[in-house]
PDB file of all heavy atoms in Angstrom:
ATOM      1  N   SER A   1      87.196  86.137 108.636  1.00  0.00           N
ATOM      2  CA  SER A   1      88.216  85.875 107.627  1.00  0.00           C
ATOM      3  C   SER A   1      87.992  86.793 106.438  1.00  0.00           C
ATOM      4  O   SER A   1      86.859  87.166 106.123  1.00  0.00           O
ATOM      5  CB  SER A   1      88.158  84.417 107.157  1.00  0.00           C
ATOM      6  OG  SER A   1      88.395  83.525 108.212  1.00  0.00           O
ATOM      7  N   CYS A   2      89.071  87.123 105.775  1.00  0.00           N
ATOM      8  CA  CYS A   2      89.007  87.932 104.568  1.00  0.00           C
ATOM      9  C   CYS A   2      89.961  87.306 103.550  1.00  0.00           C
ATOM     10  O   CYS A   2      91.174  87.300 103.774  1.00  0.00           O
ATOM     11  CB  CYS A   2      89.392  89.375 104.855  1.00  0.00           C
ATOM     12  SG  CYS A   2      89.571  90.403 103.386  1.00  0.00           S
ATOM     13  N   VAL A   3      89.404  86.783 102.476  1.00  0.00           N
ATOM     14  CA  VAL A   3      90.213  86.161 101.434  1.00  0.00           C
ATOM     15  C   VAL A   3      90.379  87.139 100.282  1.00  0.00           C
ATOM     16  O   VAL A   3      89.395  87.689  99.773  1.00  0.00           O
ATOM     17  CB  VAL A   3      89.572  84.855 100.935  1.00  0.00           C
ATOM     18  CG1 VAL A   3      90.415  84.244  99.826  1.00  0.00           C
ATOM     19  CG2 VAL A   3      89.410  83.869 102.081  1.00  0.00           C
ATOM     20  N   ALA A   4      91.620  87.336  99.892  1.00  0.00           N
ATOM     21  CA  ALA A   4      91.933  88.264  98.798  1.00  0.00           C
ATOM     22  C   ALA A   4      92.286  87.501  97.535  1.00  0.00           C
ATOM     23  O   ALA A   4      92.891  86.423  97.582  1.00  0.00           O
ATOM     24  CB  ALA A   4      93.084  89.178  99.202  1.00  0.00           C
ATOM     25  N   SER A   5      91.924  88.072  96.402  1.00  0.00           N
ATOM     26  CA  SER A   5      92.258  87.451  95.123  1.00  0.00           C
ATOM     27  C   SER A   5      92.392  88.534  94.065  1.00  0.00           C
ATOM     28  O   SER A   5      91.993  89.676  94.260  1.00  0.00           O
ATOM     29  CB  SER A   5      91.195  86.429  94.727  1.00  0.00           C
ATOM     30  OG  SER A   5      89.948  87.063  94.534  1.00  0.00           O
ATOM     31  N   GLY A   6      92.961  88.148  92.964  1.00  0.00           N
ATOM     32  CA  GLY A   6      93.150  89.067  91.853  1.00  0.00           C
ATOM     33  C   GLY A   6      94.183  88.492  90.921  1.00  0.00           C
ATOM     34  O   GLY A   6      95.025  87.702  91.337  1.00  0.00           O
ATOM     35  N   ARG A   7      94.110  88.899  89.681  1.00  0.00           N
ATOM     36  CA  ARG A   7      94.966  88.290  88.662  1.00  0.00           C
ATOM     37  C   ARG A   7      96.437  88.423  89.017  1.00  0.00           C
ATOM     38  O   ARG A   7      97.219  87.505  88.815  1.00  0.00           O
ATOM     39  CB  ARG A   7      94.673  88.914  87.305  1.00  0.00           C
ATOM     40  CG  ARG A   7      95.308  88.176  86.135  1.00  0.00           C
ATOM     41  CD  ARG A   7      94.724  88.672  84.822  1.00  0.00           C
ATOM     42  NE  ARG A   7      94.975  90.093  84.620  1.00  0.00           N
ATOM     43  CZ  ARG A   7      96.073  90.565  84.048  1.00  0.00           C
ATOM     44  NH1 ARG A   7      97.014  89.737  83.647  1.00  0.00           N
ATOM     45  NH2 ARG A   7      96.237  91.871  83.876  1.00  0.00           N
ATOM     46  N   THR A   8      96.827  89.555  89.577  1.00  0.00           N
ATOM     47  CA  THR A   8      98.239  89.763  89.910  1.00  0.00           C
ATOM     48  C   THR A   8      98.436  90.000  91.397  1.00  0.00           C
ATOM     49  O   THR A   8      99.456  90.512  91.824  1.00  0.00           O
ATOM     50  CB  THR A   8      98.804  90.958  89.130  1.00  0.00           C
ATOM     51  OG1 THR A   8      98.054  92.122  89.476  1.00  0.00           O
ATOM     52  CG2 THR A   8      98.739  90.716  87.629  1.00  0.00           C
ATOM     53  N   PHE A   9      97.448  89.593  92.187  1.00  0.00           N
ATOM     54  CA  PHE A   9      97.505  89.886  93.620  1.00  0.00           C
ATOM     55  C   PHE A   9      98.592  89.096  94.312  1.00  0.00           C
ATOM     56  O   PHE A   9      98.739  87.896  94.090  1.00  0.00           O
ATOM     57  CB  PHE A   9      96.152  89.580  94.272  1.00  0.00           C
ATOM     58  CG  PHE A   9      96.135  89.841  95.745  1.00  0.00           C
ATOM     59  CD1 PHE A   9      95.927  91.117  96.227  1.00  0.00           C
ATOM     60  CD2 PHE A   9      96.354  88.815  96.656  1.00  0.00           C
ATOM     61  CE1 PHE A   9      95.921  91.380  97.585  1.00  0.00           C
ATOM     62  CE2 PHE A   9      96.357  89.054  98.016  1.00  0.00           C
ATOM     63  CZ  PHE A   9      96.130  90.347  98.480  1.00  0.00           C
ATOM     64  N   SER A  10      99.331  89.796  95.186  1.00  0.00           N
ATOM     65  CA  SER A  10     100.290  89.161  96.088  1.00  0.00           C
ATOM     66  C   SER A  10     100.097  89.770  97.465  1.00  0.00           C
ATOM     67  O   SER A  10     100.141  90.983  97.625  1.00  0.00           O
ATOM     68  CB  SER A  10     101.722  89.395  95.621  1.00  0.00           C
ATOM     69  OG  SER A  10     102.633  88.954  96.616  1.00  0.00           O
ATOM     70  N   SER A  11      99.880  88.911  98.455  1.00  0.00           N
ATOM     71  CA  SER A  11      99.634  89.406  99.814  1.00  0.00           C
ATOM     72  C   SER A  11     100.762  90.278 100.323  1.00  0.00           C
ATOM     73  O   SER A  11     100.529  91.204 101.100  1.00  0.00           O
ATOM     74  CB  SER A  11      99.432  88.221 100.761  1.00  0.00           C
ATOM     75  OG  SER A  11      98.191  87.609 100.536  1.00  0.00           O
ATOM     76  N   TYR A  12     101.995  89.990  99.896  1.00  0.00           N
ATOM     77  CA  TYR A  12     103.140  90.739 100.402  1.00  0.00           C
ATOM     78  C   TYR A  12     103.165  92.180  99.894  1.00  0.00           C
ATOM     79  O   TYR A  12     103.981  92.979 100.341  1.00  0.00           O
ATOM     80  CB  TYR A  12     104.438  90.024 100.035  1.00  0.00           C
ATOM     81  CG  TYR A  12     104.632  88.748 100.810  1.00  0.00           C
ATOM     82  CD1 TYR A  12     104.342  87.518 100.246  1.00  0.00           C
ATOM     83  CD2 TYR A  12     105.090  88.779 102.129  1.00  0.00           C
ATOM     84  CE1 TYR A  12     104.510  86.342 100.966  1.00  0.00           C
ATOM     85  CE2 TYR A  12     105.260  87.612 102.852  1.00  0.00           C
ATOM     86  CZ  TYR A  12     104.965  86.396 102.259  1.00  0.00           C
ATOM     87  OH  TYR A  12     105.131  85.240 102.982  1.00  0.00           O
ATOM     88  N   ASN A  13     102.271  92.514  98.994  1.00  0.00           N
ATOM     89  CA  ASN A  13     102.211  93.874  98.465  1.00  0.00           C
ATOM     90  C   ASN A  13     101.172  94.748  99.138  1.00  0.00           C
ATOM     91  O   ASN A  13     101.029  95.921  98.779  1.00  0.00           O
ATOM     92  CB  ASN A  13     101.916  93.844  96.964  1.00  0.00           C
ATOM     93  CG  ASN A  13     103.097  93.360  96.157  1.00  0.00           C
ATOM     94  OD1 ASN A  13     104.245  93.455  96.595  1.00  0.00           O
ATOM     95  ND2 ASN A  13     102.832  92.826  94.973  1.00  0.00           N
ATOM     96  N   TYR A  14     100.450  94.183 100.123  1.00  0.00           N
ATOM     97  CA  TYR A  14      99.355  94.953 100.718  1.00  0.00           C
ATOM     98  C   TYR A  14      99.345  94.885 102.237  1.00  0.00           C
ATOM     99  O   TYR A  14      99.420  93.805 102.832  1.00  0.00           O
ATOM    100  CB  TYR A  14      98.004  94.429 100.205  1.00  0.00           C
ATOM    101  CG  TYR A  14      97.794  94.717  98.736  1.00  0.00           C
ATOM    102  CD1 TYR A  14      98.172  93.800  97.767  1.00  0.00           C
ATOM    103  CD2 TYR A  14      97.232  95.927  98.324  1.00  0.00           C
ATOM    104  CE1 TYR A  14      98.006  94.075  96.421  1.00  0.00           C
ATOM    105  CE2 TYR A  14      97.054  96.206  96.979  1.00  0.00           C
ATOM    106  CZ  TYR A  14      97.439  95.277  96.039  1.00  0.00           C
ATOM    107  OH  TYR A  14      97.265  95.547  94.724  1.00  0.00           O
ATOM    108  N   ASN A  15      99.228  96.055 102.850  1.00  0.00           N
ATOM    109  CA  ASN A  15      98.814  96.125 104.244  1.00  0.00           C
ATOM    110  C   ASN A  15      97.294  95.968 104.260  1.00  0.00           C
ATOM    111  O   ASN A  15      96.614  96.361 103.306  1.00  0.00           O
ATOM    112  CB  ASN A  15      99.187  97.481 104.859  1.00  0.00           C
ATOM    113  CG  ASN A  15     100.683  97.685 104.933  1.00  0.00           C
ATOM    114  OD1 ASN A  15     101.451  96.726 104.960  1.00  0.00           O
ATOM    115  ND2 ASN A  15     101.103  98.933 104.954  1.00  0.00           N
ATOM    116  N   MET A  16      96.784  95.379 105.326  1.00  0.00           N
ATOM    117  CA  MET A  16      95.355  95.104 105.395  1.00  0.00           C
ATOM    118  C   MET A  16      94.744  95.751 106.627  1.00  0.00           C
ATOM    119  O   MET A  16      95.382  95.867 107.667  1.00  0.00           O
ATOM    120  CB  MET A  16      95.105  93.592 105.447  1.00  0.00           C
ATOM    121  CG  MET A  16      95.661  92.818 104.263  1.00  0.00           C
ATOM    122  SD  MET A  16      94.874  93.235 102.704  1.00  0.00           S
ATOM    123  CE  MET A  16      93.237  92.557 102.984  1.00  0.00           C
ATOM    124  N   GLY A  17      93.479  96.127 106.481  1.00  0.00           N
ATOM    125  CA  GLY A  17      92.774  96.737 107.600  1.00  0.00           C
ATOM    126  C   GLY A  17      91.399  96.122 107.792  1.00  0.00           C
ATOM    127  O   GLY A  17      90.824  95.545 106.864  1.00  0.00           O
ATOM    128  N   TRP A  18      90.916  96.225 109.004  1.00  0.00           N
ATOM    129  CA  TRP A  18      89.533  95.865 109.341  1.00  0.00           C
ATOM    130  C   TRP A  18      88.824  97.129 109.823  1.00  0.00           C
ATOM    131  O   TRP A  18      89.377  97.876 110.650  1.00  0.00           O
ATOM    132  CB  TRP A  18      89.469  94.807 110.431  1.00  0.00           C
ATOM    133  CG  TRP A  18      89.779  93.419 109.973  1.00  0.00           C
ATOM    134  CD1 TRP A  18      90.975  92.760 110.095  1.00  0.00           C
ATOM    135  CD2 TRP A  18      88.887  92.503 109.335  1.00  0.00           C
ATOM    136  NE1 TRP A  18      90.879  91.500 109.566  1.00  0.00           N
ATOM    137  CE2 TRP A  18      89.600  91.311 109.104  1.00  0.00           C
ATOM    138  CE3 TRP A  18      87.551  92.562 108.944  1.00  0.00           C
ATOM    139  CZ2 TRP A  18      89.025  90.189 108.490  1.00  0.00           C
ATOM    140  CZ3 TRP A  18      86.975  91.456 108.333  1.00  0.00           C
ATOM    141  CH2 TRP A  18      87.709  90.291 108.116  1.00  0.00           C
ATOM    142  N   PHE A  19      87.631  97.337 109.322  1.00  0.00           N
ATOM    143  CA  PHE A  19      86.792  98.457 109.723  1.00  0.00           C
ATOM    144  C   PHE A  19      85.413  97.919 110.074  1.00  0.00           C
ATOM    145  O   PHE A  19      85.087  96.781 109.747  1.00  0.00           O
ATOM    146  CB  PHE A  19      86.665  99.465 108.566  1.00  0.00           C
ATOM    147  CG  PHE A  19      87.936 100.214 108.265  1.00  0.00           C
ATOM    148  CD1 PHE A  19      88.987  99.592 107.599  1.00  0.00           C
ATOM    149  CD2 PHE A  19      88.091 101.536 108.648  1.00  0.00           C
ATOM    150  CE1 PHE A  19      90.169 100.269 107.331  1.00  0.00           C
ATOM    151  CE2 PHE A  19      89.263 102.232 108.378  1.00  0.00           C
ATOM    152  CZ  PHE A  19      90.302 101.596 107.718  1.00  0.00           C
ATOM    153  N   ARG A  20      84.609  98.748 110.714  1.00  0.00           N
ATOM    154  CA  ARG A  20      83.237  98.352 111.011  1.00  0.00           C
ATOM    155  C   ARG A  20      82.323  99.560 110.920  1.00  0.00           C
ATOM    156  O   ARG A  20      82.753 100.694 111.082  1.00  0.00           O
ATOM    157  CB  ARG A  20      83.133  97.710 112.399  1.00  0.00           C
ATOM    158  CG  ARG A  20      83.447  98.645 113.561  1.00  0.00           C
ATOM    159  CD  ARG A  20      83.465  97.847 114.864  1.00  0.00           C
ATOM    160  NE  ARG A  20      83.769  98.697 116.017  1.00  0.00           N
ATOM    161  CZ  ARG A  20      83.964  98.229 117.242  1.00  0.00           C
ATOM    162  NH1 ARG A  20      83.897  96.921 117.482  1.00  0.00           N
ATOM    163  NH2 ARG A  20      84.230  99.054 118.229  1.00  0.00           N
ATOM    164  N   GLN A  21      81.059  99.256 110.647  1.00  0.00           N
ATOM    165  CA  GLN A  21      80.059 100.319 110.541  1.00  0.00           C
ATOM    166  C   GLN A  21      78.780  99.862 111.203  1.00  0.00           C
ATOM    167  O   GLN A  21      78.158  98.888 110.762  1.00  0.00           O
ATOM    168  CB  GLN A  21      79.806 100.689 109.081  1.00  0.00           C
ATOM    169  CG  GLN A  21      78.915 101.892 108.914  1.00  0.00           C
ATOM    170  CD  GLN A  21      78.935 102.439 107.494  1.00  0.00           C
ATOM    171  OE1 GLN A  21      79.359 101.762 106.563  1.00  0.00           O
ATOM    172  NE2 GLN A  21      78.499 103.677 107.332  1.00  0.00           N
ATOM    173  N   ALA A  22      78.423 100.552 112.269  1.00  0.00           N
ATOM    174  CA  ALA A  22      77.180 100.278 112.982  1.00  0.00           C
ATOM    175  C   ALA A  22      76.058 101.096 112.356  1.00  0.00           C
ATOM    176  O   ALA A  22      76.307 102.126 111.720  1.00  0.00           O
ATOM    177  CB  ALA A  22      77.341 100.629 114.454  1.00  0.00           C
ATOM    178  N   PRO A  23      74.808 100.669 112.538  1.00  0.00           N
ATOM    179  CA  PRO A  23      73.682 101.407 111.957  1.00  0.00           C
ATOM    180  C   PRO A  23      73.677 102.867 112.382  1.00  0.00           C
ATOM    181  O   PRO A  23      73.800 103.175 113.569  1.00  0.00           O
ATOM    182  CB  PRO A  23      72.459 100.657 112.506  1.00  0.00           C
ATOM    183  CG  PRO A  23      72.957  99.285 112.775  1.00  0.00           C
ATOM    184  CD  PRO A  23      74.373  99.441 113.229  1.00  0.00           C
ATOM    185  N   GLY A  24      73.565 103.759 111.416  1.00  0.00           N
ATOM    186  CA  GLY A  24      73.502 105.179 111.715  1.00  0.00           C
ATOM    187  C   GLY A  24      74.821 105.827 112.059  1.00  0.00           C
ATOM    188  O   GLY A  24      74.853 107.012 112.406  1.00  0.00           O
ATOM    189  N   LYS A  25      75.907 105.064 111.972  1.00  0.00           N
ATOM    190  CA  LYS A  25      77.221 105.606 112.313  1.00  0.00           C
ATOM    191  C   LYS A  25      78.157 105.531 111.115  1.00  0.00           C
ATOM    192  O   LYS A  25      77.920 104.805 110.164  1.00  0.00           O
ATOM    193  CB  LYS A  25      77.812 104.857 113.500  1.00  0.00           C
ATOM    194  CG  LYS A  25      77.030 105.026 114.793  1.00  0.00           C
ATOM    195  CD  LYS A  25      77.762 104.424 115.961  1.00  0.00           C
ATOM    196  CE  LYS A  25      77.017 104.657 117.265  1.00  0.00           C
ATOM    197  NZ  LYS A  25      77.754 104.085 118.438  1.00  0.00           N
ATOM    198  N   GLU A  26      79.235 106.283 111.203  1.00  0.00           N
ATOM    199  CA  GLU A  26      80.232 106.248 110.153  1.00  0.00           C
ATOM    200  C   GLU A  26      81.107 105.002 110.285  1.00  0.00           C
ATOM    201  O   GLU A  26      81.244 104.419 111.365  1.00  0.00           O
ATOM    202  CB  GLU A  26      81.102 107.507 110.224  1.00  0.00           C
ATOM    203  CG  GLU A  26      80.349 108.799 109.907  1.00  0.00           C
ATOM    204  CD  GLU A  26      81.265 109.996 109.814  1.00  0.00           C
ATOM    205  OE1 GLU A  26      82.452 109.863 110.152  1.00  0.00           O
ATOM    206  OE2 GLU A  26      80.786 111.068 109.404  1.00  0.00           O
ATOM    207  N   ARG A  27      81.698 104.631 109.172  1.00  0.00           N
ATOM    208  CA  ARG A  27      82.618 103.505 109.191  1.00  0.00           C
ATOM    209  C   ARG A  27      83.855 103.887 110.008  1.00  0.00           C
ATOM    210  O   ARG A  27      84.396 104.979 109.860  1.00  0.00           O
ATOM    211  CB  ARG A  27      83.021 103.132 107.762  1.00  0.00           C
ATOM    212  CG  ARG A  27      83.724 101.812 107.642  1.00  0.00           C
ATOM    213  CD  ARG A  27      83.862 101.392 106.184  1.00  0.00           C
ATOM    214  NE  ARG A  27      82.553 101.226 105.541  1.00  0.00           N
ATOM    215  CZ  ARG A  27      82.393 100.705 104.329  1.00  0.00           C
ATOM    216  NH1 ARG A  27      83.451 100.299 103.634  1.00  0.00           N
ATOM    217  NH2 ARG A  27      81.191 100.597 103.814  1.00  0.00           N
ATOM    218  N   GLU A  28      84.302 102.977 110.881  1.00  0.00           N
ATOM    219  CA  GLU A  28      85.420 103.284 111.763  1.00  0.00           C
ATOM    220  C   GLU A  28      86.484 102.196 111.703  1.00  0.00           C
ATOM    221  O   GLU A  28      86.199 101.031 111.454  1.00  0.00           O
ATOM    222  CB  GLU A  28      84.942 103.448 113.209  1.00  0.00           C
ATOM    223  CG  GLU A  28      84.377 102.197 113.837  1.00  0.00           C
ATOM    224  CD  GLU A  28      84.075 102.377 115.324  1.00  0.00           C
ATOM    225  OE1 GLU A  28      84.278 103.478 115.866  1.00  0.00           O
ATOM    226  OE2 GLU A  28      83.628 101.382 115.937  1.00  0.00           O
ATOM    227  N   PHE A  29      87.698 102.617 111.980  1.00  0.00           N
ATOM    228  CA  PHE A  29      88.847 101.717 111.990  1.00  0.00           C
ATOM    229  C   PHE A  29      88.784 100.764 113.176  1.00  0.00           C
ATOM    230  O   PHE A  29      88.409 101.161 114.291  1.00  0.00           O
ATOM    231  CB  PHE A  29      90.127 102.555 112.061  1.00  0.00           C
ATOM    232  CG  PHE A  29      91.379 101.767 112.294  1.00  0.00           C
ATOM    233  CD1 PHE A  29      91.945 101.029 111.273  1.00  0.00           C
ATOM    234  CD2 PHE A  29      91.988 101.772 113.537  1.00  0.00           C
ATOM    235  CE1 PHE A  29      93.112 100.313 111.482  1.00  0.00           C
ATOM    236  CE2 PHE A  29      93.155 101.060 113.764  1.00  0.00           C
ATOM    237  CZ  PHE A  29      93.710 100.329 112.733  1.00  0.00           C
TER     238      PHE A  29
END
């Protein structure tokens, strides 16, 4: 889960992504 917050945050204003990073590797989509 990823919970977003912010003083003026609205979920409808953002596309969201998930990435991962394994040890010794670059972060990947």
Side-chain angles (χ1 to χ4, degrees):
S1 299
C2 172
V3 179
S5 63
R7 191 168 61 87
T8 60
F9 179 83
S10 171
S11 288
Y12 289 100
N13 288 336
Y14 292 92
N15 295 336
M16 301 295 292
W18 283 99
F19 290 75
R20 65 186 180 186
Q21 187 167 17
K25 295 188 177 181
E26 294 187 351
R27 193 170 299 189
E28 65 173 1
F29 171 75

